Amino acid sequence: MTTESRPPADHRTARRVPAGAAVLREDVTDAIRAAVFDELAAVGFARMSIEGIARRAGVGKTAVYRRWKSKLALVLDLVSAFATRGLPAPATGSLYGDVRALLEVASHALRHPVASQVIPDLLVEAARHPEISDAIKAALLDEQQGIAAVIVREAVERGELPEGTDPDRALDLIIGPLYWRLVVVRGDLPKGYLDDLAASAVGALKN
């Protein structure tokens, strides 16, 4: 079982650690995060326990509690880390190109185990835990809303879309069918599916 300890005292090379400060090893933190995902995928949020996480990570429960106060805090950290913060909006020069590029990025994200296995389970728990609902919204919606707003604004400036086009509606048309197929139905994407979906979304937005 992995344990945490203070680094060896070497006044020539090591920086002093304040008395009483906990040294949180990154490899232990990474092992716990990986264990959280595995435990969620295996038993779901409701049956997940700190004990099970610690056992799967090969650490003591204390190592988990040093970092997070509860299993809910652990899950929120996992979901928040999944968010694609700072992802730039596509800039292909055309509405179709931007929509197609967004679909490409989204298709990779929605194939990630956090989206395909963990988040559907958390959506059930979100009704009882508003914190989970907020974290999922931040991970799956907020960033994409910002990108959709840029895509729509630039398309309006190029004359490809009419003034007043709703970015939220655009996002629904672009990502909604993809989320349904990959996360809800869990089906494969046929060859040319993203091309056809991009063309359909652009056509609907222009009407």
Side-chain angles (χ1 to χ4, degrees):
M1 181 173 290
T2 301
T3 58
E4 293 184 279
S5 61
R6 195 181 303 277
D10 185 341
H11 299 291
R12 293 169 300 175
T13 59
R15 186 172 55 186
R16 280 184 177 273
V17 178
V23 177
L24 301 180
R25 286 172 41 186
E26 290 185 11
D27 60 326
V28 174
T29 302
D30 291 342
I32 295 171
R33 285 198 175 107
V36 172
F37 167 71
D38 291 340
E39 192 76 357
L40 272 171
V43 304
F45 179 82
R47 294 173 57 197
M48 186 180 75
S49 67
I50 295 295
E51 292 80 1
I53 293 167
R55 183 169 56 251
R56 195 179 287 270
V59 301
K61 288 190 298 181
T62 303
V64 180
Y65 282 117
R66 282 193 187 119
R67 293 161 172 82
W68 300 277
K69 63 182 180 180
S70 66
K71 71 175 186 178
L72 178 57
L74 263 167
V75 170
L76 296 183
D77 178 68
L78 181 71
V79 174
S80 297
F82 175 68
T84 52
R85 302 290 181 186
L87 185 69
T92 66
S94 73
L95 177 59
Y96 173 83
D98 287 351
V99 169
R100 179 61 178 79
L102 177 57
L103 284 170
E104 187 70 34
V105 172
S107 70
H108 287 293
L110 291 174
R111 288 187 181 100
H112 191 283
V114 171
S116 63
Q117 298 178 36
V118 174
I119 287 179
D121 180 61
L122 294 182
L123 287 172
V124 176
E125 298 295 330
R128 294 187 290 272
H129 296 282
E131 302 96 327
I132 293 180
S133 178
D134 292 342
I136 292 175
K137 180 177 180 292
L140 295 183
L141 183 59
D142 291 351
E143 187 77 14
Q144 298 301 323
Q145 280 182 324
I147 292 173
V150 173
I151 290 175
V152 168
R153 183 181 70 244
E154 294 184 351
V156 169
E157 291 173 354
R158 289 191 298 263
E160 293 184 271
L161 289 178
E163 291 281 353
T165 298
D166 184 0
D168 287 344
R169 175 174 176 268
L171 187 60
D172 291 344
L173 290 169
I174 297 167
I175 303 298
L178 187 63
Y179 183 88
W180 174 264
R181 176 175 284 269
L182 291 179
V183 179
V184 180
V185 178
R186 300 194 182 189
D188 296 328
L189 298 184
K191 184 178 180 180
Y193 177 83
L194 295 183
D195 297 332
D196 293 342
L197 182 56
S200 297
V202 169
L205 286 169
K206 289 183 175 181
N207 290 333

